[in-house]
Amino acid sequence: MAKAFSPKQYFQKIFSPDLLTEFYKNHEIVAIFDVTEHTPRKDAVSRFVEFHQSLSPEEKLATEEELARILRVSSKHSIFLLSGILKKHSLTEVTTIECTSDHDVVLYHYLFNKAVFEDLEFFHQFFTQKRYMLYEAEKVTLTDAEFTLAELAREYTRIAQKENEGAVCTITGKILGDILYVDGTITEQSTDEGMESKVLETIRVAYLPEDMEVLIFYTGKKYEKLLYLDTFLRTVCKGGYQGKEQSFSLSPIQGDRFDFANNKQGVPLMTWKIKGITLSFGSEKIRKKMKFSLPSSMHEYGLS
């Protein structure tokens, strides 16, 4: 459940009264704040909140809806992303209104650089998303990869329609730095005029050609995720998904003379039991661990 927007909590992150004046001006609301750099922080926030509370219910609803949208992309990732986005748009990071906090900077670009802010909304969702699956991929140029997105949308729609005949997949792809970000939404088209389409699933893919890797997120079932991954690899990277199995021999620890620690050298091993195994995998940049554990007596009695 989404957390309700709190004007006070948001204003605690805003240091520039001039930015708020510009924001309210866009809603044809005259806002003048008696706040300077010498005003105690607590007093400044109180004046921001008092002014906002003085608005009509309609004005509050409209402004809070916009502020909540801005807040959603105001995080520890924002400045890093904005740096790349501004470079992409050939714009300077210098602002015409002094911005003290990261939240000031995001609000500034919302007010004065709509294209930059819209890009921030697009890329930011990839950085706040969890549960990505990492897989190796063939290397193709970002330009060639971007050219395949129309075909990828058709292929994803074909897959989605196996489960729902009315499903359609729309895809948006954008390049930032050396990464292609692909956002896909599978919707069910409404038969009722004026009704919005129902979102069925979401697919997000980040393709890193220099690392020869792809990251994929999917809200549906695991086997469907593998199918979309394979389709991306075949369509975009000219490769494909291949399931892999690796075997590990435990024979070295089966001998009676096996010692688990140097300080136990020479101590006869009477009995042993494996309680857990940890496997490390991934690349030098991204390393993950997989742990396997055998049930103990605690599990047997249902205490866990």
Side-chain angles (χ1 to χ4, degrees), residues 3-22:
K3 186 177 179 180
F5 174 76
S6 168
K8 181 178 181 180
Q9 290 182 3
Y10 180 72
F11 291 142
Q12 287 174 342
K13 309 285 181 63
I14 298 297
F15 286 77
S16 172
D18 292 340
L19 286 174
L20 289 179
T21 297
E22 289 293 329

Side-chain angles (χ1 to χ4, degrees), residues 73 117-127 172-175 181-183 204:
V73 294
F117 182 82
E118 288 171 1
D119 270 358
L120 177 61
E121 284 187 304
F122 177 82
F123 293 115
H124 191 270
Q125 61 188 341
F126 288 85
F127 284 77
T172 302
K174 295 185 179 183
I175 296 172
Y181 297 86
V182 179
D183 181 52
R204 293 197 180 103

Side-chain angles (χ1 to χ4, degrees), residues 154-169 186-187 189 200 228:
R154 290 192 293 269
E155 289 295 308
Y156 277 4
T157 296
R158 180 181 58 80
I159 296 171
Q161 288 179 346
K162 291 181 180 180
E163 298 288 334
N164 188 318
E165 292 184 358
V168 174
C169 182
I186 300 173
T187 57
Q189 301 300 308
L200 301 176
Y228 285 113

Side-chain angles (χ1 to χ4, degrees), residues 100-148:
T100 303
S101 69
D102 293 351
H103 285 66
D104 282 351
V105 176
V106 175
L107 177 57
Y108 175 87
H109 289 294
Y110 175 80
L111 294 171
F112 301 106
N113 295 316
K114 289 295 186 184
V116 170
F117 182 82
E118 288 171 1
D119 270 358
L120 177 61
E121 284 187 304
F122 177 82
F123 293 115
H124 191 270
Q125 61 188 341
F126 288 85
F127 284 77
T128 56
Q129 191 64 66
K130 298 180 179 179
R131 295 184 291 123
Y132 279 103
M133 175 182 176
L134 173 69
Y135 196 78
E136 60 189 23
E138 296 295 328
K139 182 178 180 179
V140 298
T141 68
L142 288 173
T143 302
D144 289 343
E146 195 172 27
F147 280 145
T148 65

Side-chain angles (χ1 to χ4, degrees), residues 250 272-277 291-300 304:
L250 298 180
W272 58 271
K273 177 181 178 181
I274 296 178
K275 292 187 177 181
I277 300 174
K291 294 184 178 181
F292 301 91
S293 60
L294 298 178
S296 64
S297 57
M298 181 179 68
H299 293 87
E300 293 175 11
S304 64

Side-chain angles (χ1 to χ4, degrees), residues 73-86 93 101-106 109 120 124:
V73 294
S74 302
S75 73
K76 62 182 180 181
H77 307 289
S78 304
I79 299 303
F80 163 75
L81 287 170
L82 281 171
S83 179
I85 294 169
L86 290 169
E93 295 186 24
S101 69
D102 293 351
H103 285 66
D104 282 351
V105 176
V106 175
H109 289 294
L120 177 61
H124 191 270

Side-chain angles (χ1 to χ4, degrees), residues 90-102:
S90 300
L91 295 174
T92 177
E93 295 186 24
V94 178
T95 58
T96 56
I97 295 178
E98 183 179 1
C99 297
T100 303
S101 69
D102 293 351

